[in-house]
Amino acid sequence: MRSSSANQRGFFFNVDWLTVLLYLILVTIGWFNIHSAVFDPKHPEVIGFDTNYGKQLVYIIAGVVLAIVILLLDNRFFIAFASIFYAITIILLIAVLIVGRNVGGNQAWIPLGSFRLQPSEFAKVTTCLLLARYLSGPNIRITEWKSFLAAGAIIGVPMMLIMLQPDTGSTLVFCSLIFVLYREGLSPWFLIVIALIIALFVLTLLFNQLYLILSLVVLGLLVIWMFKHYRQVVFAVLIGLAISISFIFSVKYIYGHVLKQHQKERIDILLGLTTDLKKKGYNVNQSKIAIGSGKLWGKGYLQGTQTRYSFVPAQSTDFIFCTIGEEWGFAGSLTLIGIYLFLLLRLVAIAERQRSPFSRIYGYGVASILFFHVMINIGMTIGIVPVIGIPLPLISYGGSSLWSFTILLFILVKLDSNRMGTISPA
């Protein structure tokens, strides 16, 4: 009996209550801003399914219950069932392509009565679990091609299925897991190459192809002349030039035949290649107006005219940050970003203090996904990244999103509560 009581006290003190507090702060901020964005005086009740804020409060209560259940589970449960959970989400991602409901051009939801389940949200959790299980296995080295390709397959399979919906935003979220691979020993050259590919893609759209190719050739010849006595450098530069020039020629094809029309229009608007404030550029333009109108301290709670009167589309989901900017101003927006930054730093610190490789890898997966969501969501509302439709974690309206981030966070909190122990794949 004493041993059991001691274990319970130990568990209580080992739980990272600061992370739990940050979670509760964020979901509370989220609910108040959803309430303000879509408040309807005809339906003043806060619990129920007549309004988005009523539904969200129910989702939050269910999320807290879910978090408690996770904290009561054994750590070994997550690694033991990682493969099964991953397989279930893959089956659901296939099912959504067959029986899913199309909303806004994406067939990403499975209707369950009045609730719509979005499997892609939960796929983030199960992918992190299986990736952590695989990379923490014996004789797995991410620097070896076999291990790298296997890890890439774990990440790539749900990405391909989600892309078929098609949901570009949710697909790109999985790219953030490259940071996990980097932490586990992947060469930084992979990150550099990815950054160069993105930069070259943008430059190809902005400038004449011939001028861009000539500039790269001149730069390449200059590097070859400087390092002419180093054959490896010369060879690498020649290979790089060949690949870059081939990529430049392929960009037009990708842009014209792979990307959808609305995606091309959003990129054109972002890069300043076209202006369309009434149609495709309307969302971002109204978003910037709403955030800018909040000035330093904001208009006050329930006083956001731009968001409350539907000038900003999706004001309680993808563009919820507009409500924060308009009603709480620059100060409120900066405070929210500060809370997210504090949470991200906390998650990295938690991941680094784990003795178990599984827990450390999973922790970096959580931090990477959260970072990507926050950066892209806020970035698209202020017009510095294309609008790809991903929620602001724990703030945006939606049960699937809220529960998936709850599961992500609290599995890590649970693993961390037993950080002095070690768990490894069977």
Side-chain angles (χ1 to χ4, degrees), residues 34 78 96 127 133 167 322 379 402:
I34 292 169
F78 305 110
V96 79
T127 301
R133 176 188 170 96
D167 186 350
C322 300
L402 175 66

Side-chain angles (χ1 to χ4, degrees), residues 143-196:
T143 53
E144 297 178 355
W145 278 105
K146 181 180 178 181
S147 299
F148 176 73
L149 292 175
I154 292 172
I155 300 170
V157 171
M159 284 183 69
M160 289 187 294
L161 291 172
I162 293 169
M163 195 61 195
L164 292 175
Q165 295 178 0
D167 186 350
T168 306
S170 295
T171 302
L172 292 176
V173 170
F174 288 82
C175 295
S176 66
L177 295 177
I178 190 71
F179 294 114
V180 179
L181 305 184
Y182 171 71
R183 171 60 181 83
E184 293 307 303
L186 185 67
S187 171
W189 281 107
F190 278 90
L191 299 180
I192 295 172
V193 168
I194 291 172
L196 289 175

Side-chain angles (χ1 to χ4, degrees), residues 66 69 88 93 205-206 210 276 280 314 322-323 347-348 357 359 362 374:
L66 184 60
V69 171
I88 291 172
L93 288 173
L205 296 179
L206 290 175
L210 179 59
D276 184 3
K280 296 300 179 182
C322 300
T323 305
L347 293 178
V348 172
S359 302
Y362 178 79
V374 173

Side-chain angles (χ1 to χ4, degrees), residues 235-255:
F235 181 73
V237 171
L238 291 174
I239 294 296
L241 278 175
I243 294 174
S244 298
I245 293 171
S246 300
F247 179 76
I248 290 172
F249 282 119
S250 68
V251 164
K252 288 296 182 182
Y253 176 82
I254 295 172
Y255 198 69

Side-chain angles (χ1 to χ4, degrees), residues 25 61 63-64 145 150 265 276 390 408 425:
I25 290 173
I61 294 171
V64 171
W145 278 105
E265 290 170 344
D276 184 3
I390 61 174
L408 266 174

